[in-house]
Amino acid sequence: MENSRLVGKINKRLTFMLHLAKDGIFPIVKDAAGHPLSSLPASGFPFAGTIQGEGKLCGIPSLFVRVAGCNLHCHWSTSEGKLTECDTAYAAYRLQNTFSLETEEICRLIRANTENLDHIVITGGEPFLQADALTNLCKALKQSRKYHLTIETNATLYDKDLVEQIDFFSLSPKLSSSQSPAFSGKQKSGVPLNPLCIQQFIDHARSNEKDFQLKFVYTATKDIQEIKTLLSSLKKWHKSDILLMPLGTTPTEVQAHSRETLRHCLQNGWRYCDRLHLTLFGPKEGV
């Protein structure tokens, strides 16, 4: 009996721990007690927050929570033959450049750094790998204030309890172009495209007066047919929910694919998705 109680306490504590990437909660200027930090955040501003750089909520002041660990490790091969890694590849691994915090501590950090911010963006890595801990965090945040919570996910995993806490779903299904032959030896541990899972997110959003977006990285013309095939298997979406974003981790790389991306958006009635944070800050982390 004593052992089972101890195991229960340990499991409960683990449920309240969240594994974060090295930038963790950003950009912030205060610690959990509200005391000023000794240095400015990567944004260079003496106050917390940055903007959402992508999607329907582009430009909205936000605070980000970046979790560690991902079930997909993506590398794109462009039409020019160049290999491009995920722009947050450092967040894909739980054991490299990561740390853990209790959700209560994270909640205090967020409250101390959101005097003028209402939007919290949970990103990764893949957040749904830590669904239990994130559910606890989201519940605590909602109890303390009416935050708007976005979650950015590759839409291969689904958790009902976590989904119920979220206001906006940024779904980024990974096309076959994210599986570069040069990295074929590194097997992905997840399912690159999961239409059934994507449909669960859409159904929840439509049934609960929430919003979502389907955001695809564009590398070459072959991506378009793959997107159309996926969309033909999904229901309850509108053209305005489909976003096409040029591949690139620098402003120069994005510019190289932007015109072609725009052409396909205009031809299909989809939204063009800019990467505003790259324009404002360049390829910095923590902005």
Side-chain angles (χ1 to χ4, degrees):
M1 179 66 73
E2 217 34 61
N3 285 340
S4 62
R5 286 177 180 170
L6 179 60
V7 170
K9 287 181 179 179
I10 292 173
N11 288 338
K12 185 176 181 181
R13 182 175 177 80
L14 289 174
T15 300
F16 284 88
M17 295 294 292
L18 196 61
H19 302 286
L20 300 170
K22 59 183 178 181
D23 38 8
I25 302 106
F26 67 93
I28 60 174
V29 293
K30 296 177 182 178
D31 63 20
H35 301 135
L37 299 177
S38 58
S39 58
L40 292 177
S43 65
F45 293 122
F47 45 80
T50 182
I51 49 91
Q52 169 60 268
E54 300 172 359
K56 290 183 178 181
L57 302 183
C58 183
I60 289 183
S62 306
L63 197 73
F64 282 73
V65 178
R66 188 180 302 283
V67 303
C70 189
N71 59 333
L72 300 178
H73 306 301
C74 300
H75 298 81
W76 284 266
S77 182
T78 70
S79 56
E80 299 85 11
K82 182 179 179 180
L83 298 178
T84 300
E85 193 174 31
C86 170
D87 59 356
T88 55
Y90 62 89
Y93 307 97
R94 281 204 189 186
L95 300 179
Q96 298 176 8
N97 300 314
T98 68
F99 62 101
S100 298
L101 283 180
E102 291 190 6
T103 54
E104 182 181 342
E105 176 83 356
I106 297 172
C107 193
R108 289 202 300 269
L109 272 168
I110 290 173
R111 287 200 301 262
N113 286 278
T114 50
E115 181 180 358
N116 296 311
L117 301 173
D118 299 314
H119 285 249
I120 309 298
V121 180
I122 301 167
T123 187
E126 174 46 58
F128 277 85
L129 289 174
Q130 301 185 62
D132 288 346
L134 280 174
T135 300
N136 287 328
L137 174 63
C138 292
K139 285 181 177 179
L141 288 171
K142 292 282 191 178
Q143 288 172 359
S144 64
R145 184 169 151 190
K146 195 174 181 180
Y147 288 107
H148 179 282
L149 303 181
T150 292
I151 197 160
E152 299 183 339
T153 173
N154 59 36
T156 61
L157 304 170
Y158 189 88
D159 182 89
K160 182 176 179 292
D161 291 337
L162 177 54
V163 162
E164 287 178 350
Q165 303 301 317
I166 303 300
D167 301 295
F168 183 80
F169 304 97
S170 181
L171 312 176
S172 299
K174 298 302 182 283
L175 305 173
S176 58
S177 57
S178 70
Q179 304 167 65
S180 168
F183 292 87
S184 58
K186 294 185 178 180
Q187 294 297 318
K188 293 169 181 282
S189 57
V191 181
L193 281 178
N194 190 338
L196 294 178
C197 184
I198 296 170
Q199 190 63 59
Q200 283 183 288
F201 283 108
I202 295 175
D203 289 344
H204 175 85
R206 290 289 185 244
S207 298
N208 293 275
E209 298 184 349
K210 299 180 180 181
D211 201 5
F212 71 93
Q213 62 191 21
L214 279 165
K215 178 163 59 72
F216 299 95
V217 173
Y218 175 78
T219 64
T221 302
K222 64 183 178 66
D223 293 336
I224 302 304
Q225 186 54 53
E226 191 173 352
I227 293 171
K228 289 181 177 179
T229 299
L230 174 62
L231 293 178
S232 69
S233 70
L234 301 174
K235 301 175 182 179
K236 302 179 185 178
W237 57 270
H238 308 301
K239 287 181 180 179
S240 59
D241 300 319
I242 313 306
L243 286 75
L244 203 60
M245 181 173 71
L247 175 68
T249 58
T250 68
T252 301
E253 290 175 348
V254 169
Q255 182 64 32
H257 294 90
S258 61
R259 188 172 180 83
E260 187 73 5
T261 304
L262 176 60
R263 180 171 74 84
H264 290 295
C265 288
L266 295 176
Q267 288 178 328
N268 291 283
W270 302 337
R271 292 192 185 203
Y272 178 88
C273 181
D274 199 5
R275 310 191 78 180
L276 182 57
H277 54 294
L278 288 180
T279 302
L280 295 174
F281 299 107
K284 270 186 176 183
E285 298 172 4
V287 294

PDB file of all heavy atoms in Angstrom, residues 184-202:
ATOM      1  N   SER A 184      17.084   9.414 -45.054  1.00  0.00           N
ATOM      2  CA  SER A 184      16.200   8.248 -44.990  1.00  0.00           C
ATOM      3  C   SER A 184      16.633   7.263 -43.912  1.00  0.00           C
ATOM      4  O   SER A 184      15.842   6.451 -43.456  1.00  0.00           O
ATOM      5  CB  SER A 184      16.149   7.545 -46.346  1.00  0.00           C
ATOM      6  OG  SER A 184      17.453   7.137 -46.748  1.00  0.00           O
ATOM      7  N   GLY A 185      17.890   7.338 -43.498  1.00  0.00           N
ATOM      8  CA  GLY A 185      18.353   6.440 -42.437  1.00  0.00           C
ATOM      9  C   GLY A 185      17.786   6.789 -41.081  1.00  0.00           C
ATOM     10  O   GLY A 185      17.784   5.976 -40.158  1.00  0.00           O
ATOM     11  N   LYS A 186      17.295   8.017 -40.941  1.00  0.00           N
ATOM     12  CA  LYS A 186      16.700   8.450 -39.673  1.00  0.00           C
ATOM     13  C   LYS A 186      15.205   8.216 -39.755  1.00  0.00           C
ATOM     14  O   LYS A 186      14.447   9.025 -40.283  1.00  0.00           O
ATOM     15  CB  LYS A 186      16.996   9.926 -39.414  1.00  0.00           C
ATOM     16  CG  LYS A 186      18.481  10.216 -39.192  1.00  0.00           C
ATOM     17  CD  LYS A 186      18.677  11.673 -38.813  1.00  0.00           C
ATOM     18  CE  LYS A 186      20.140  11.968 -38.532  1.00  0.00           C
ATOM     19  NZ  LYS A 186      20.359  13.377 -38.155  1.00  0.00           N
ATOM     20  N   GLN A 187      14.746   7.115 -39.243  1.00  0.00           N
ATOM     21  CA  GLN A 187      13.334   6.759 -39.350  1.00  0.00           C
ATOM     22  C   GLN A 187      12.481   7.667 -38.480  1.00  0.00           C
ATOM     23  O   GLN A 187      12.812   7.950 -37.333  1.00  0.00           O
ATOM     24  CB  GLN A 187      13.129   5.294 -38.924  1.00  0.00           C
ATOM     25  CG  GLN A 187      13.794   4.303 -39.853  1.00  0.00           C
ATOM     26  CD  GLN A 187      13.216   4.342 -41.255  1.00  0.00           C
ATOM     27  OE1 GLN A 187      12.004   4.433 -41.424  1.00  0.00           O
ATOM     28  NE2 GLN A 187      14.069   4.282 -42.261  1.00  0.00           N
ATOM     29  N   LYS A 188      11.390   8.107 -39.018  1.00  0.00           N
ATOM     30  CA  LYS A 188      10.432   8.891 -38.245  1.00  0.00           C
ATOM     31  C   LYS A 188       9.635   7.955 -37.344  1.00  0.00           C
ATOM     32  O   LYS A 188       9.265   6.875 -37.757  1.00  0.00           O
ATOM     33  CB  LYS A 188       9.482   9.649 -39.177  1.00  0.00           C
ATOM     34  CG  LYS A 188      10.164  10.732 -39.997  1.00  0.00           C
ATOM     35  CD  LYS A 188       9.212  11.234 -41.065  1.00  0.00           C
ATOM     36  CE  LYS A 188       9.872  12.294 -41.921  1.00  0.00           C
ATOM     37  NZ  LYS A 188       9.917  13.581 -41.264  1.00  0.00           N
ATOM     38  N   SER A 189       9.395   8.392 -36.136  1.00  0.00           N
ATOM     39  CA  SER A 189       8.666   7.552 -35.186  1.00  0.00           C
ATOM     40  C   SER A 189       7.173   7.819 -35.221  1.00  0.00           C
ATOM     41  O   SER A 189       6.417   7.196 -34.499  1.00  0.00           O
ATOM     42  CB  SER A 189       9.201   7.798 -33.767  1.00  0.00           C
ATOM     43  OG  SER A 189       9.091   9.154 -33.427  1.00  0.00           O
ATOM     44  N   GLY A 190       6.744   8.749 -36.043  1.00  0.00           N
ATOM     45  CA  GLY A 190       5.326   9.071 -36.112  1.00  0.00           C
ATOM     46  C   GLY A 190       4.775   8.855 -37.507  1.00  0.00           C
ATOM     47  O   GLY A 190       5.468   8.423 -38.417  1.00  0.00           O
ATOM     48  N   VAL A 191       3.512   9.159 -37.693  1.00  0.00           N
ATOM     49  CA  VAL A 191       2.853   9.049 -38.994  1.00  0.00           C
ATOM     50  C   VAL A 191       2.876  10.427 -39.635  1.00  0.00           C
ATOM     51  O   VAL A 191       2.275  11.365 -39.113  1.00  0.00           O
ATOM     52  CB  VAL A 191       1.396   8.559 -38.829  1.00  0.00           C
ATOM     53  CG1 VAL A 191       0.727   8.430 -40.180  1.00  0.00           C
ATOM     54  CG2 VAL A 191       1.369   7.244 -38.068  1.00  0.00           C
ATOM     55  N   PRO A 192       3.569  10.616 -40.778  1.00  0.00           N
ATOM     56  CA  PRO A 192       3.693  11.951 -41.373  1.00  0.00           C
ATOM     57  C   PRO A 192       2.353  12.626 -41.645  1.00  0.00           C
ATOM     58  O   PRO A 192       2.177  13.802 -41.368  1.00  0.00           O
ATOM     59  CB  PRO A 192       4.458  11.671 -42.669  1.00  0.00           C
ATOM     60  CG  PRO A 192       5.232  10.433 -42.390  1.00  0.00           C
ATOM     61  CD  PRO A 192       4.347   9.614 -41.498  1.00  0.00           C
ATOM     62  N   LEU A 193       1.390  11.889 -42.219  1.00  0.00           N
ATOM     63  CA  LEU A 193       0.058  12.440 -42.455  1.00  0.00           C
ATOM     64  C   LEU A 193      -0.979  11.536 -41.799  1.00  0.00           C
ATOM     65  O   LEU A 193      -0.975  10.330 -42.000  1.00  0.00           O
ATOM     66  CB  LEU A 193      -0.239  12.537 -43.950  1.00  0.00           C
ATOM     67  CG  LEU A 193       0.375  13.705 -44.709  1.00  0.00           C
ATOM     68  CD1 LEU A 193       0.016  13.624 -46.186  1.00  0.00           C
ATOM     69  CD2 LEU A 193      -0.059  15.039 -44.133  1.00  0.00           C
ATOM     70  N   ASN A 194      -1.862  12.147 -41.021  1.00  0.00           N
ATOM     71  CA  ASN A 194      -2.873  11.383 -40.302  1.00  0.00           C
ATOM     72  C   ASN A 194      -4.236  12.064 -40.507  1.00  0.00           C
ATOM     73  O   ASN A 194      -4.684  12.843 -39.661  1.00  0.00           O
ATOM     74  CB  ASN A 194      -2.515  11.323 -38.814  1.00  0.00           C
ATOM     75  CG  ASN A 194      -3.382  10.355 -38.042  1.00  0.00           C
ATOM     76  OD1 ASN A 194      -4.479  10.013 -38.467  1.00  0.00           O
ATOM     77  ND2 ASN A 194      -2.896   9.912 -36.889  1.00  0.00           N
ATOM     78  N   PRO A 195      -4.902  11.779 -41.644  1.00  0.00           N
ATOM     79  CA  PRO A 195      -6.178  12.445 -41.949  1.00  0.00           C
ATOM     80  C   PRO A 195      -7.227  12.275 -40.859  1.00  0.00           C
ATOM     81  O   PRO A 195      -7.994  13.209 -40.585  1.00  0.00           O
ATOM     82  CB  PRO A 195      -6.618  11.775 -43.253  1.00  0.00           C
ATOM     83  CG  PRO A 195      -5.358  11.278 -43.874  1.00  0.00           C
ATOM     84  CD  PRO A 195      -4.477  10.875 -42.727  1.00  0.00           C
ATOM     85  N   LEU A 196      -7.307  11.104 -40.240  1.00  0.00           N
ATOM     86  CA  LEU A 196      -8.302  10.886 -39.187  1.00  0.00           C
ATOM     87  C   LEU A 196      -8.064  11.804 -38.005  1.00  0.00           C
ATOM     88  O   LEU A 196      -9.005  12.354 -37.414  1.00  0.00           O
ATOM     89  CB  LEU A 196      -8.282   9.417 -38.747  1.00  0.00           C
ATOM     90  CG  LEU A 196      -8.740   8.392 -39.790  1.00  0.00           C
ATOM     91  CD1 LEU A 196      -8.615   6.966 -39.235  1.00  0.00           C
ATOM     92  CD2 LEU A 196     -10.180   8.655 -40.220  1.00  0.00           C
ATOM     93  N   CYS A 197      -6.804  11.991 -37.655  1.00  0.00           N
ATOM     94  CA  CYS A 197      -6.461  12.887 -36.557  1.00  0.00           C
ATOM     95  C   CYS A 197      -6.777  14.335 -36.928  1.00  0.00           C
ATOM     96  O   CYS A 197      -7.362  15.079 -36.126  1.00  0.00           O
ATOM     97  CB  CYS A 197      -4.977  12.729 -36.221  1.00  0.00           C
ATOM     98  SG  CYS A 197      -4.435  13.692 -34.800  1.00  0.00           S
ATOM     99  N   ILE A 198      -6.415  14.732 -38.131  1.00  0.00           N
ATOM    100  CA  ILE A 198      -6.709  16.096 -38.595  1.00  0.00           C
ATOM    101  C   ILE A 198      -8.205  16.368 -38.541  1.00  0.00           C
ATOM    102  O   ILE A 198      -8.657  17.433 -38.104  1.00  0.00           O
ATOM    103  CB  ILE A 198      -6.178  16.296 -40.028  1.00  0.00           C
ATOM    104  CG1 ILE A 198      -4.648  16.188 -40.046  1.00  0.00           C
ATOM    105  CG2 ILE A 198      -6.620  17.655 -40.579  1.00  0.00           C
ATOM    106  CD1 ILE A 198      -4.054  16.135 -41.444  1.00  0.00           C
ATOM    107  N   GLN A 199      -8.995  15.385 -38.965  1.00  0.00           N
ATOM    108  CA  GLN A 199     -10.448  15.557 -38.962  1.00  0.00           C
ATOM    109  C   GLN A 199     -10.990  15.732 -37.552  1.00  0.00           C
ATOM    110  O   GLN A 199     -11.957  16.479 -37.340  1.00  0.00           O
ATOM    111  CB  GLN A 199     -11.124  14.368 -39.642  1.00  0.00           C
ATOM    112  CG  GLN A 199     -12.612  14.576 -39.901  1.00  0.00           C
ATOM    113  CD  GLN A 199     -12.863  15.718 -40.866  1.00  0.00           C
ATOM    114  OE1 GLN A 199     -12.407  15.713 -41.996  1.00  0.00           O
ATOM    115  NE2 GLN A 199     -13.619  16.728 -40.412  1.00  0.00           N
ATOM    116  N   GLN A 200     -10.378  15.077 -36.569  1.00  0.00           N
ATOM    117  CA  GLN A 200     -10.812  15.248 -35.175  1.00  0.00           C
ATOM    118  C   GLN A 200     -10.634  16.689 -34.726  1.00  0.00           C
ATOM    119  O   GLN A 200     -11.512  17.256 -34.051  1.00  0.00           O
ATOM    120  CB  GLN A 200     -10.006  14.316 -34.258  1.00  0.00           C
ATOM    121  CG  GLN A 200     -10.428  12.867 -34.301  1.00  0.00           C
ATOM    122  CD  GLN A 200      -9.629  12.020 -33.323  1.00  0.00           C
ATOM    123  OE1 GLN A 200      -8.441  11.752 -33.520  1.00  0.00           O
ATOM    124  NE2 GLN A 200     -10.272  11.596 -32.249  1.00  0.00           N
ATOM    125  N   PHE A 201      -9.516  17.307 -35.084  1.00  0.00           N
ATOM    126  CA  PHE A 201      -9.296  18.715 -34.741  1.00  0.00           C
ATOM    127  C   PHE A 201     -10.343  19.595 -35.415  1.00  0.00           C
ATOM    128  O   PHE A 201     -10.924  20.494 -34.780  1.00  0.00           O
ATOM    129  CB  PHE A 201      -7.893  19.154 -35.179  1.00  0.00           C
ATOM    130  CG  PHE A 201      -6.780  18.690 -34.297  1.00  0.00           C
ATOM    131  CD1 PHE A 201      -5.915  17.696 -34.708  1.00  0.00           C
ATOM    132  CD2 PHE A 201      -6.578  19.270 -33.054  1.00  0.00           C
ATOM    133  CE1 PHE A 201      -4.874  17.272 -33.904  1.00  0.00           C
ATOM    134  CE2 PHE A 201      -5.536  18.858 -32.232  1.00  0.00           C
ATOM    135  CZ  PHE A 201      -4.682  17.853 -32.661  1.00  0.00           C
ATOM    136  N   ILE A 202     -10.588  19.363 -36.690  1.00  0.00           N
ATOM    137  CA  ILE A 202     -11.561  20.178 -37.428  1.00  0.00           C
ATOM    138  C   ILE A 202     -12.958  20.016 -36.830  1.00  0.00           C
ATOM    139  O   ILE A 202     -13.677  21.006 -36.613  1.00  0.00           O
ATOM    140  CB  ILE A 202     -11.557  19.784 -38.915  1.00  0.00           C
ATOM    141  CG1 ILE A 202     -10.209  20.123 -39.556  1.00  0.00           C
ATOM    142  CG2 ILE A 202     -12.694  20.493 -39.660  1.00  0.00           C
ATOM    143  CD1 ILE A 202     -10.070  19.650 -40.998  1.00  0.00           C
TER     144      ILE A 202
END
